[in-house]
Amino acid sequence: IGGESCENNPPRSQCSNALSELGTLHWSFMNNGYNPDVLSSWTAGGCMPEIRRRLGYRFELIESTIPPQVNAGTSFSLNFKLKNVGFANLFNRRPIFLVLLNTGSRYNYQLTGGDPRLWLTGFISNITVTISLPQNITPGVYKLGLWLPDAASALENNTAYSVRFANANVWDSLTGINFLTDNLQISP
C-alpha cells in the first residue's frame, strides 16, 4: 500500500500510531507533500527518519557463516540470515546470485528455490546454500556476495535497480553486490 498521510488528528495522527499503522498495513511509499501538518508532526515527534528508512522492504544482513578457505573442484556450504525491517515486502520477482569476485575473475551462481519476496517483514530468513566450484577456478582471495538484480534483462546490469542491503560496508555501488566477505581463500 502507499499514498498519503491522514488529516491532522492528534493523538491518532502522531508518531506512535503512525509507526504502528504503517507497519500493520505494509506501506511501501508515501506522498512527501501531503498532509504538511501531519508530516511536520512526525518530524517534530522524531519518527520521520524511521518512517523514511522503513517504507518498503529493508533487508539487514544479520550474520553469515562462510568457510575461510575452500578448494577448487569441491563444494562448500554457506549460510546467511537476513531480516526485513521495512514496513513491506519486496513485490517484484528477483533472481538471487551468489557472486565470487576478485581482480581478474567473476563467477555468478544463480540460487534456485529461493524467493526474496518471501523474506517477510519482521522475520529472519535463514538461507543455506551449497556451491560447487569448478576445477579450473583461478586460485586466490575472493569477495563473496549476494546480487539481486532486476529481473528484466535490460536492467539487470544497472546497479540502481539492484537490491541494496541496509548494512554499512556491505553494498558495492559499482557492481550492485552486497558483500558477505572480502576474504574467501580459494586454493588449487
Side-chain angles (χ1 to χ4, degrees), residues 16-27:
S16 61
N17 191 61
L19 290 168
S20 175
E21 287 194 9
L22 291 167
T24 299
L25 299 173
H26 304 292
W27 276 67

Side-chain angles (χ1 to χ4, degrees), residues 63-82:
E63 69 179 21
S64 59
T65 305
I66 303 165
Q69 188 262 331
V70 294
N71 294 323
T74 64
S75 296
F76 71 98
S77 293
L78 62 110
N79 174 269
F80 56 94
K81 294 179 183 177
L82 297 167

Side-chain angles (χ1 to χ4, degrees), residues 105-153:
S105 303
R106 177 176 173 156
Y107 300 90
N108 294 336
Y109 297 89
Q110 186 165 0
L111 306 183
T112 58
D115 187 343
R117 294 174 297 181
L118 300 178
W119 299 347
L120 303 177
T121 185
F123 290 92
I124 293 176
S125 298
N126 186 12
I127 297 102
T128 300
V129 296
T130 300
I131 301 298
S132 297
L133 296 177
Q135 185 65 45
N136 63 347
I137 191 169
T138 305
V141 177
Y142 283 80
K143 293 181 178 183
L144 183 141
L146 291 170
W147 178 43
L148 287 80
D150 195 281
S153 59

